[in-house]
Amino acid sequence: SAWRRLRRFCSQVGRPDSAFYGQVGGLWCEFDVDEYQTLLPDIFVDFQEAPLHGDRGLAAVEQAAAILQAASVSETAPALGRCLRDSSDGGVYDLGFMLSRPLPGVRLVGFGSHSLDNIYRYLQKIEWPGSVADLRSAVGWLDGIVDRFVLQVDVAAEIRPLISIELFLDTHGRDRTRWTLFLQNLVD
């Protein structure tokens, strides 16, 4: 079961001879609840202690997938390799194993940037199948308002077109004009 695999992964994280020892900063589950109330977890692993990129990142994804998905990610290796090789701007901080979803694959969360231009360039480097021009048109207004962006990319045999961009506005003790501008743009 997924819960048994999660327990096995956690036991690996806690062993000093494990590849994950000292690498994992956290773990969480999300649930897509269907009409049958099937509670299969989508498991996310936080690698913020040591962001993943390059060959080391690919090896970590393959090892985690072998435990958490009980399957090989060999069919995803070329696309994963492109994402991790070209992630020198920050690397992957979180891996998501979407066990409740019908399509296999891995969600890569990271590639944080203070500018959308870096995200656009990264998406072009990894040969994202979506339109960077359309993305720029839809979200370009956020540059200068948002402090930091974090990209999420779903990868299977190919890089999937659906992406997510997390937005961070640091307004603690500062002028909230940007927050107001952000909300006004969403409503307009």
Side-chain angles (χ1 to χ4, degrees):
S1 78
W3 297 109
R4 220 173 281 124
R5 292 192 303 267
L6 180 56
R7 274 194 301 275
R8 184 170 162 233
F9 181 79
C10 290
S11 71
Q12 289 287 318
V13 169
R15 285 189 15 221
D17 62 337
S18 165
F20 301 111
Y21 187 75
Q23 303 294 312
V24 175
L27 185 82
W28 74 94
C29 296
E30 293 180 2
F31 298 91
D32 294 338
V33 180
D34 61 20
E35 64 271 14
Y36 307 108
Q37 299 296 310
T38 306
L39 291 178
L40 275 176
D42 296 327
I43 301 170
F44 288 82
V45 181
D46 173 359
F47 282 92
Q48 291 196 22
E49 301 301 315
L52 304 174
H53 51 84
D55 291 338
R56 183 187 73 80
L58 184 56
V61 173
E62 289 173 337
Q63 290 172 19
I67 297 170
L68 293 170
Q69 289 183 320
S72 167
V73 291
S74 60
E75 72 277 358
T76 67
L80 280 170
R82 268 198 331 269
C83 290
L84 293 166
R85 180 182 57 247
D86 292 327
S87 67
S88 58
D89 291 339
V92 172
Y93 291 96
D94 302 318
L95 296 176
F97 297 95
M98 314 307 278
L99 304 181
S100 68
R101 309 265 168 102
L103 298 171
V106 178
R107 175 166 295 165
L108 305 176
V109 181
F111 325 106
S113 178
H114 296 284
S115 164
L116 281 170
D117 284 335
N118 292 336
I119 289 179
Y120 303 145
R121 277 192 295 279
Y122 174 75
L123 289 170
Q124 289 172 325
K125 281 197 291 189
I126 65 169
E127 301 170 23
W128 174 59
S131 167
V132 171
D134 289 349
L135 179 63
R136 186 184 306 269
S137 175
V139 301
W141 64 273
L142 293 165
D143 256 337
I145 296 174
V146 173
D147 292 303
R148 190 168 66 93
F149 305 91
V150 173
L151 179 65
Q152 297 183 19
V153 178
D154 285 353
V155 181
E158 293 297 325
I159 296 165
R160 295 193 177 128
L162 183 66
I163 60 170
S164 298
I165 300 176
E166 294 179 38
L167 313 172
F168 296 87
L169 277 82
D170 179 16
T171 58
H172 298 289
R174 294 186 10 203
D175 178 19
R176 297 191 183 262
T177 307
R178 289 181 307 124
W179 183 246
T180 302
L181 184 60
F182 172 74
L183 293 173
Q184 285 174 341
N185 276 296
L186 288 179
V187 174
D188 291 340

